[in-house]
Amino acid sequence: MTLPTKVKIVDVGPRDGLQNEKGAVPAAVKIELVHRLQDAGLTEIEVASFVSPKWVPQMADNAEVMAGIRRKPGVRYSVLTPNMKGFEAAVVHRPDEIVVFAAASEAFSQRNINCSIEESIERFRPVAEAARAANIYVRGAISCAVGCPYEGEVSTERVEMVARLLKGIGVQHVGVADTIGVGTPLKVQRAMEAALRHYNINDVSGHFHDTYGQALGNTLACLQMGVWQYDTSCAGLGGCPYAKGATGNVATEDVVYMLQGMGIETGIDLDKLIDAGKFISDFLGRKPNSRAATALLNKRAG
């Protein structure tokens, strides 16, 4: 077992974390969250989604947020662009990376974007080509990589197929996403192995939701495979609008606490990270959904 000596964390809180919030979160609050995350040492932040505001009203201020960020050298800012219209709107704001996503579940793909898996990936081909022509990095996510709310278990063959198709259209990095949080360590390892048939270990990441409390275990299982990149969300923000009952992404604070305890470098200041999570949680009127943050905030108060 060779554990990585350092781990890269992409905080998806400003985008994936906030997109399902019912109440509007003003652009100024989103910008402040990005600033706090980068001040805590995050070097990869998923900022916004360039999608139709009809589908995701929370992201209607994407241009304002991207324009308002005080960019810090060494930090990469990514945005989700599901189609050419989204890419054309996003490219004006100079994102360092764009993200496209395809489900490993046929039923999820049909219900979510009204087309088959293969059709969904073909739609991304011009987006990936345009991004690479503009020297913008292209990251892909395989959603529902271990389970789907409509069809249950998802086969590793499906995951491998999506990885192969994404590679074929020029996607440079792929994230294996347990969108509804049903995965357990061995299932997640098998899904990751399927992606690794088409991508190098340096070009894969894990994206785990904590619905059943398995996200840290799933992260550890992938660390043991040598996977060193993960999507997390400050204060455990998030969910999935198309997956009933799915809770947020694994909390960045919990992952950082675990990694620090294992002697794995992240470059992140845990205290400042907790402050960032508390800032957004206070705005949303609830406690951070992070065990480490709760424990350390209680310790501070004590």
Side-chain angles (χ1 to χ4, degrees):
M1 183 181 81
T2 319
L3 291 167
T5 54
K6 63 168 191 183
V7 158
K8 182 168 88 177
I9 286 178
V10 180
D11 198 298
V12 300
R15 197 283 298 175
D16 200 11
L18 291 178
Q19 72 174 9
N20 302 311
E21 290 296 329
K22 298 285 181 278
V25 179
V29 172
K30 293 172 183 165
I31 292 164
E32 175 69 12
L33 176 59
V34 171
H35 288 165
R36 284 173 178 253
L37 289 171
Q38 62 190 24
D39 290 347
L42 267 302
T43 56
E44 304 271 340
I45 303 171
E46 201 171 280
V47 178
S49 184
F50 282 78
V51 291
S52 165
K54 187 174 84 172
W55 296 112
V56 188
Q58 191 65 259
M59 293 288 127
D61 57 3
N62 45 28
E64 191 184 342
V65 173
M66 282 298 283
I69 289 165
R70 182 184 70 247
R71 295 201 178 207
K72 191 174 178 180
V75 177
R76 280 157 45 99
Y77 304 91
S78 58
V79 297
L80 195 79
T81 58
N83 50 38
M84 274 310 288
K85 193 175 176 187
F87 175 77
E88 283 158 5
V91 76
V92 184
H93 301 285
R94 298 177 298 111
D96 300 298
E97 176 180 88
I98 60 132
V99 185
V100 297
F101 62 94
S105 149
E106 209 55 77
F108 194 85
S109 191
Q110 289 290 356
R111 298 226 194 168
N112 197 343
I113 45 178
N114 305 315
C115 67
S116 71
I117 295 172
E118 296 206 25
E119 285 169 341
S120 76
I121 293 170
E122 272 309 309
R123 285 184 191 176
F124 298 137
R125 187 184 291 276
V127 179
E129 286 170 357
R132 294 189 66 169
N135 210 21
I136 297 169
Y137 194 77
V138 183
R139 179 157 59 94
I142 304 174
S143 58
C144 295
V146 284
C148 164
Y150 311 115
E151 62 182 56
E153 293 246 343
V154 170
S155 72
T156 53
E157 288 79 13
R158 278 288 165 82
V159 178
E160 185 182 355
M161 179 188 91
V162 175
R164 176 173 53 78
L165 293 172
L166 287 172
K167 186 85 173 176
I169 63 162
V171 171
Q172 293 159 280
H173 175 108
V174 78
V176 173
D178 180 14
T179 312
I180 58 172
V182 293
T184 46
L186 293 179
K187 287 180 184 174
V188 163
Q189 283 184 333
R190 285 195 282 267
M192 190 61 79
E193 280 164 3
L196 284 165
R197 289 188 195 117
H198 299 282
Y199 283 87
N200 182 286
I201 193 78
N202 296 321
D203 299 320
V204 296
S205 53
H207 177 115
F208 306 128
H209 285 240
D210 204 30
T211 315
Y212 290 87
Q214 302 296 299
L216 275 180
N218 293 340
T219 303
L220 178 59
C222 290
L223 282 168
Q224 290 168 340
M225 297 172 73
V227 175
W228 58 278
Q229 299 177 75
Y230 296 89
D231 293 352
T232 64
S233 180
C234 60
L237 295 171
C240 174
Y242 302 99
K244 200 171 180 199
T247 52
N249 296 272
V250 64
T252 310
E253 298 91 327
D254 293 349
V255 173
V256 169
Y257 179 83
M258 178 177 82
L259 293 170
Q260 284 186 355
M262 295 170 75
I264 296 172
E265 194 187 310
T266 62
I268 295 168
D269 181 320
L270 185 55
D271 278 323
K272 286 185 174 178
L273 174 63
I274 286 169
D275 291 341
K278 187 175 184 313
F279 160 76
I280 192 63
S281 300
D282 286 348
F283 174 80
L284 296 169
R286 58 176 186 256
K287 290 187 167 73
N289 192 18
S290 155
R291 303 289 275 274
T294 301
L296 291 163
L297 285 167
N298 286 344
K299 205 169 168 184
R300 282 185 196 176

